[in-house]
Amino acid sequence: MTIRKFGMALTAAAAVFAGSAVVSAAQAETWKFALEEIDGSVQDAYAERFKELIEERTNGEVTVQIYPYGTLGTSAQLTELVANGTLQFANASPGHLGSLVPEVNVFNLPYILSQSDDVNKKVLTEGETVYEMLAPKLEEKGLQLITMYPEGDMVWTTNKEVRSPEDFSGFKMRTMTSPILTESYKAMGANPTPMPYGEVYGALQLKQIDGQVNPVFAIEEMKFYEVSDYMIWAGQQEFTTTVVANQTFWENLPEDRRQMVDEVAGELADFIFDVKTQYADERLEKIKQAKPDMPMIELTEEERAKFKEAAMGARDTFIKVGGEDAQKVLDALTAEIEETEKEMQGG
């Protein structure tokens, strides 16, 4: 998307929502759901299935209107639109939520989640750390946490081969606008460069940055591979997102409607985990066909261990920024992941 088109989208958003206020349950025949990603993305697949189930179970009394990325503004602006009641629902990644609730930045720390999809599914969709420790903090900011899910391994696309923290020296890596993410990449040796999602392709093309990090499906749909020389799997992170609702809207919904949304979110947990795996496989194949000579590097366990060791410094920054509560969240999450891994391994 060009900057001009993005500016037009912001103008359109202002026109669409001018004068809007929090919608009461009785009036909420249309629920607006904004995405951080474009049509064809993992978030789009989730929202489309959410729309289908909600409209079916309300017998058409509720219509879900989906707004892909670029329609209404940047990711940070979408979160603001939900918090102030202009939107009923939106995806909101920890990279942006962390500016409102510092403890959510725990999901921006490298090498924090399990390498097991089943473990991550349980921790993200029903874990105590997320729903008993973090959800109440989001409520204080006007956001009701509906669910959380991953969208796939975060893969580096770069203009040079990177196999060690030393290879990141002087390397401008685009990150989301999150202090913890920038500190994480500083700790791993890079020069982090925050910028909005819609500007990344042009920045890679103009050599303003040396690389970026996103799930495979995003790399394919945004064509980042066209302006990169390598794809590198370092195992450092899964991109996670939340679905949040406006808190006042949520509280004004009848109990049966709230229960319906919770049930739909529960049913979509397996669906979206299958989708993100399917999309990663399909989109990687498309990249290979479009650019067959592009080197694709999977770091060894020894190479990953060096990045993991370097990245541990970001945990100190996370605790410094978030204070005592951040320490509690980090301890709780790591313990919960370890316990869930043991349970699923039968010991």
Side-chain angles (χ1 to χ4, degrees):
M1 178 186 303
T2 65
I3 294 175
R4 177 175 176 272
K5 286 183 179 178
F6 191 72
M8 290 170 64
L10 289 175
T11 303
V16 169
F17 295 120
S20 63
V22 175
V23 183
S24 71
Q27 299 170 321
E29 285 132 11
T30 299
W31 294 353
K32 303 179 185 74
F33 192 153
L35 314 181
E36 293 181 303
E37 296 164 1
I38 64 174
D39 287 335
S41 63
V42 171
Q43 290 184 12
D44 183 49
Y46 186 99
E48 290 289 351
R49 184 62 177 152
F50 179 88
K51 169 184 171 70
E52 180 182 346
L53 293 177
I54 293 296
E55 292 178 356
E56 176 184 293
R57 294 181 189 185
T58 60
N59 297 314
E61 291 179 10
V62 172
T63 299
V64 179
Q65 179 67 48
I66 299 169
Y67 295 87
Y69 182 79
T71 311
L72 304 179
T74 65
S75 298
Q77 288 167 333
L78 298 183
T79 304
E80 292 177 12
L81 291 172
V82 177
N84 69 27
T86 302
L87 294 171
Q88 283 73 51
F89 296 91
N91 283 102
S93 68
H96 304 292
L97 284 180
S99 63
L100 295 175
V101 177
E103 295 87 351
V104 177
N105 278 309
V106 71
F107 292 103
N108 294 322
L109 294 172
Y111 301 101
I112 191 72
L113 288 175
S114 174
Q115 295 299 308
S116 164
D117 255 1
D118 289 336
V119 170
N120 292 335
K121 184 190 300 183
K122 183 172 182 180
V123 169
L124 293 176
T125 60
E126 56 184 272
E128 292 182 3
T129 307
V130 174
Y131 297 95
E132 295 184 16
M133 297 183 74
L134 294 177
K137 292 182 178 295
L138 290 173
E139 289 176 20
E140 294 171 6
K141 303 297 182 180
L143 300 171
Q144 172 69 33
L145 179 62
I146 304 300
T147 193
M148 191 170 192
Y149 61 85
E151 299 189 51
D153 289 334
M154 295 285 274
V155 178
W156 298 333
T157 69
T158 67
N159 63 8
K160 62 178 281 190
E161 188 171 343
V162 176
R163 289 186 175 271
S164 71
E166 289 75 23
D167 293 332
F168 260 156
S169 178
F171 188 99
K172 291 175 288 186
M173 173 66 88
R174 180 267 173 178
T175 66
M176 288 183 286
T177 53
S178 159
I180 297 302
L181 279 173
T182 57
E183 287 302 320
S184 295
Y185 276 92
K186 274 185 188 176
M188 289 191 286
N191 179 14
T193 307
M195 69 173 55
Y197 189 51
E199 298 177 13
V200 177
Y201 185 97
L204 287 167
Q205 188 175 40
L206 297 172
K207 310 298 183 185
Q208 294 170 340
I209 54 176
D210 301 309
Q212 65 83 44
V213 55
N214 260 297
V216 171
F217 80 87
I219 292 169
E220 190 278 327
E221 70 189 14
M222 299 298 284
K223 309 300 181 187
F224 295 147
Y225 67 89
E226 292 181 345
V227 284
S228 300
D229 297 323
Y230 297 85
M231 287 182 66
I232 302 171
W233 281 256
Q236 83 288 356
Q237 195 177 20
E238 278 222 52
F239 181 76
T240 57
T241 188
T242 68
V243 176
V244 292
N246 173 265
Q247 184 64 27
T248 304
F249 158 79
W250 182 258
E251 289 173 352
N252 287 335
L253 279 179
E255 177 60 32
D256 62 334
R257 286 277 170 91
R258 291 200 299 269
Q259 183 176 346
M260 175 194 63
V261 173
D262 285 338
E263 288 173 353
V264 166
E267 292 173 26
L268 287 178
D270 288 335
F271 167 81
I272 202 61
F273 270 77
D274 290 342
V275 165
K276 65 114 174 173
T277 301
Q278 174 191 340
Y279 277 26
D281 293 343
E282 291 177 354
R283 305 301 173 82
L284 184 58
E285 189 57 36
K286 286 186 178 182
I287 294 172
K288 289 178 177 179
Q289 290 175 7
K291 200 170 183 178
D293 296 331
M294 187 174 196
M296 298 190 176
I297 301 169
E298 185 161 347
L299 298 189
T300 65
E301 286 300 318
E302 183 179 351
E303 289 168 334
R304 292 183 181 199
K306 291 179 181 178
F307 281 106
K308 183 175 182 178
E309 182 180 359
M312 286 297 168
R315 299 192 179 193
D316 295 333
T317 302
F318 168 69
I319 294 167
K320 184 178 180 180
V321 170
E324 184 178 342
D325 283 353
Q327 179 74 70
K328 290 178 181 177
V329 167
L330 177 60
D331 291 344
L333 182 62
T334 52
E336 188 173 9
I337 289 170
E338 290 175 8
E339 182 180 343
T340 306
E341 286 177 334
K342 289 179 181 178
E343 289 176 1
M344 293 190 172
Q345 291 168 359

